[in-house]
Amino acid sequence: MSASIQRESYLRIYGQVFEGDANWKALNVPTGDLYQWNPASTYIANPPYFVGMTTAPPAVSEIAGARVLALLGDSITTDHISPAGNIKRDSPAGKYLVDHGVEQKDFNQYGARRGNHEVMMRGTFANVRLKNMLVPGVEGGFTRHLPDPEPVSIYDASMQYQSEGTPLVILGGKEYGSGSSRDWAAKGTNLLGVKAVIAESYERIHRSNLVGMGVLPLQFKTGESASTLGFTGEELFTIGGLVDGLKVNFAGPARELTVTAAKSDGTSIVFKAVSRIDTPQEVLYYLNGGILPYVLRQLLAVK
């Protein structure tokens, strides 16, 4: 085939590639500089990451009186935290979809609904194989709204805690956040109102993602764990020295923070945990409430 024929063939095939077929041309295209969110969509929703954001980051507050949303063991993967599989009809995400007129046959999977935070936050810690030691003998996305004894969904407990103004923490074991680097494992944790995760060790990327979503990763010192310290998950946690510790972090190395776990009998367990905000840049992310507000503030500063 000659070069001229090849060129004509190329132009004929690709010259109209952006015109589309009749279905494409019939689509209603909104105008304007801002994306027009469809409030009825169960696939794409306007995320709340910038709601109430100010041009200057607010002062970081200490974490005090936090309840445990989940007491977890070793090797909690990002799929335990943010499953990508099927959505159960009786799960918080399934109920949300039913309430919005979606039939079960059209539920699809969590992975397909990553653009809707309402679905994804309801699916956080909703893996059917999750074992939360606050509800022994129960598998799935359940916990307790303390001090109540009855199991409830992790999502419902989170919403109730947040309505009460109660911060939350997650207690984990070794290799917390292992597996694929799933961004929603950190996003969902943030949206559930979790302010800190205290674990024995972290998967590298998930630790970074937690910081990027404004969640404080703390690490038990070597030889200590939720088990060795005798935690039941019913304690109230206060993390002391966070604000001063962040200032020290500008120098680079991680710093130890004092954590107090107050028990219902009036006694307390006091221990040191290592801040895993590892770099000065990560300090900036955390001070801004996460990487998304940080980047937006940087863009606004350029203008």
Side-chain angles (χ1 to χ4, degrees):
M1 184 182 296
S2 68
S4 60
I5 295 177
Q6 287 181 331
R7 181 175 182 277
E8 290 176 5
S9 177
Y10 178 88
L11 291 175
R12 175 175 53 80
I13 295 172
Y14 293 102
Q16 301 176 358
V17 69
F18 293 109
E19 293 186 13
D21 60 11
N23 293 320
W24 178 261
K25 293 177 180 178
L27 291 174
N28 179 32
V29 181
T31 59
D33 294 332
L34 298 178
Y35 181 82
Q36 297 183 20
W37 301 93
N38 178 3
S41 175
T42 56
Y43 275 100
I44 301 176
N46 187 5
Y49 304 127
F50 305 114
V51 173
M53 193 191 96
T54 55
T55 53
V60 173
S61 59
E62 304 285 357
I63 300 171
R67 282 291 190 184
V68 177
L69 186 61
L71 172 56
L72 306 172
D74 295 338
S75 300
I76 295 298
T77 69
T78 50
D79 195 68
H80 283 110
I81 304 169
S82 184
N86 293 333
I87 301 172
K88 295 178 63 177
R89 182 181 178 86
D90 61 352
S91 69
K95 292 175 182 177
Y96 170 85
L97 292 173
V98 169
D99 290 344
H100 285 74
V102 181
E103 297 183 30
Q104 186 172 3
K105 65 182 180 64
D106 297 320
F107 276 7
N108 215 321
Q109 298 178 325
Y110 285 111
R113 293 190 177 272
R114 293 165 53 87
N116 188 315
H117 65 280
E118 295 288 358
V119 174
M120 296 302 290
M121 66 190 292
R122 286 166 170 80
T124 304
F125 294 107
N127 187 299
V128 296
R129 293 291 177 245
L130 186 74
K131 294 181 180 179
N132 179 3
M133 286 173 269
L134 274 171
V135 282
V138 177
E139 284 191 344
F142 296 96
T143 190
R144 290 161 52 204
H145 174 266
L146 298 166
D148 301 338
E150 297 302 318
V152 295
S153 75
I154 285 179
Y155 171 78
D156 288 338
S158 162
M159 293 301 103
Q160 189 169 350
Y161 279 128
Q162 291 193 61
S163 70
E164 298 164 352
T166 302
L168 299 171
V169 298
I170 298 290
L171 299 181
K174 299 179 180 68
E175 300 177 339
Y176 184 84
S178 57
S180 62
S181 55
R182 197 165 295 176
D183 61 334
W184 261 108
K187 289 178 180 177
T189 299
N190 167 284
L191 293 177
L192 289 183
V194 174
K195 302 302 181 185
V197 177
I198 312 176
E200 293 179 63
S201 63
Y202 291 89
E203 191 278 331
R204 176 179 59 88
I205 297 176
H206 184 62
R207 181 210 60 80
S208 176
N209 286 347
L210 287 173
V211 177
M213 289 308 302
V215 179
L216 172 65
L218 291 178
Q219 189 162 315
F220 290 109
K221 295 186 69 175
T222 302
E224 292 186 339
S225 67
S227 176
T228 63
L229 292 169
F231 294 144
T232 65
E234 298 185 15
E235 300 83 5
L236 285 168
F237 283 79
T238 295
I239 299 167
L242 174 58
V243 174
D244 289 338
L246 288 172
K247 295 175 183 177
V248 174
N249 263 101
F250 272 113
R255 289 292 183 250
E256 293 181 0
L257 302 179
T258 300
V259 183
T260 302
K263 303 169 71 172
S264 58
D265 62 6
T267 62
S268 296
I269 302 170
V270 181
F271 64 101
K272 297 284 188 180
V274 178
S275 168
R276 290 302 313 277
I277 300 178
D278 288 351
T279 68
Q281 186 63 49
E282 288 185 342
V283 173
L284 291 176
Y285 294 158
Y286 187 82
L287 290 173
N288 278 269
I291 192 171
L292 298 175
Y294 171 80
V295 170
L296 183 54
R297 288 189 178 106
Q298 295 299 302
L299 292 173
L300 291 173
V302 170
K303 293 183 179 181

